[in-house]
Amino acid sequence: QYSNLQQLLQGSSSARRYFCSLPVSLQVQLHHQGQWIHTSEQLHRNAQMDQKIQQLSKPVPRPTKRKRG
């Protein structure tokens, strides 16, 4: 167990590879949570939860109205 995300990424090459494979927006979110991420398992869990939150918060496209003419 590491003291935070930064230490985890420095000490675990597999955690670093996983982290770098994530979209940049997700990496930023995880850095904000870094003090609470101590293990690779927590990194994976937080990344999955944040991805779901990002998907749910995307605006739903509205159907366009056709002009009658």
Side-chain angles (χ1 to χ4, degrees):
Q1 183 165 333
Y2 295 89
S3 59
N4 58 35
L5 175 61
Q6 191 67 30
Q7 293 295 315
L8 173 63
L9 296 177
Q10 289 176 355
S12 170
S13 59
S14 61
R16 187 170 50 253
R17 276 194 306 274
Y18 173 71
F19 182 83
C20 290
S21 74
L22 299 170
V24 173
S25 60
L26 192 53
Q27 291 179 20
V28 170
Q29 284 296 113
L30 291 167
H31 267 297
H32 290 300
Q33 304 164 17
Q35 63 185 348
W36 298 287
I37 298 174
H38 307 284
T39 66
S40 183
E41 181 182 316
Q42 290 173 334
L43 172 61
H44 283 260
R45 189 178 331 121
N46 284 32
Q48 290 170 351
M49 286 190 300
D50 285 356
Q51 281 179 319
K52 288 179 183 179
I53 290 169
Q54 283 183 0
Q55 289 172 350
L56 292 172
S57 63
K58 285 183 182 177
V60 178
R62 292 183 174 179
T64 55
K65 291 183 179 179
R66 291 185 175 180
K67 290 184 179 180
R68 296 181 184 201

